[in-house]
Amino acid sequence: MEPTDERTEPEPTFAGETVLVTGAARGIGRACAVRFAERGATVVGGDRLDQSETAATCAGLPGAFESVTADVTDPAAVEALVERAADTGRVDTVVNVAGIVAREPLATHDGEPWERSVAVNLTAPFRIAREAAPHLRTTGGAVVNVSSIYGQIGAAERAGYVSTKAGVEGLTRALAAELGEDGVRANAVAPGFIETPMTEPYAEDDAARERFRERAALKRLGDPEEVASVVSFLASDDASFVTGETVLVDGGRATVE
Ligand code: NAP
């Protein structure tokens, strides 16, 4: 038989399922929301920014998108966000994408970026997972947290980012341990350089972009959709025996010389 590039396996489907995605207004969160809606899920997106572009992209897809304005550092907003998802009748997957990166040289910063990083990147995913856990235990659902290669390697002037991303990988393992007996899986993805509004300032000139490209074995930057693919895999039954894992999505940046 001639080899063919055509996919023969059916795509994982999330029809009839509810997926909560934070940071869904743009970047990786938007790509995740669209991916799940393409595959039939009702997606409840939580972001402090306007999510109308995500809603517009999802319109006409097999699933649906519902927008909730929420600052994930606000416990009441998190409660309301999870409640909104549960109001659909079930919560199958929680994807913690909302995150921030702040520059904080040890010599000059006053501790504020550190506090903010902890609140957004670490405390919020914990709080959302805790609020959603009773619902996830019912569905035997999944948590997917978004870490970073900087959860695994250091970076100067990024103490808050590096520490909270390492922390979210630990949180992922703790959730896997605690929720596993109810069939709930918890995994993380650790992206390398992905072209989103977050990384725009880091790749503003061609020389900087070239340096980032050179560092990856694949010699290119990543797209948000390439992260969404791995997130949806980890949320799907195709990953039914995978839990407590962090998957690098970095084009070989962190592991290849
Ligand atoms: P992005 O373009 O900045 O999108 C992040 C979204 O999260 C924004 O809409 C942002 O809104 C929102 N958000 C931030 N803090 C929030 C809060 N307190 N409450 C609610 N929403 C909040 O970033 P991205 O590049 O897509 O990154 C998404 C995730 O991937 C982050 O966790 C990031 O650390 C991680 N990551 C990204 C890369 C990359 O290269 N892009 C690499 C590794 C890991 P605001 O603008 O208001 O903050």
Side-chain angles (χ1 to χ4, degrees), residues 23 25-29 46-49 70-73 97-100 120 146-149 161 165 191-194 196-199:
R26 65 187 203 188
I28 293 170
D47 203 302
R48 58 185 178 190
L49 293 181
D71 182 330
V72 295
T73 64
V97 188
I100 55 163
V120 181
V146 178
S147 176
S148 162
I149 53 166
Y161 195 67
K165 291 303 187 181
F193 196 111
I194 309 297
T196 70
M198 176 184 274
T199 50

Side-chain angles (χ1 to χ4, degrees), residues 203-215:
E204 56 207 7
D205 63 67
D206 288 346
R209 291 173 71 84
E210 193 48 39
R211 271 201 310 281
F212 285 118
R213 274 198 203 100
E214 265 309 303
R215 287 182 190 157

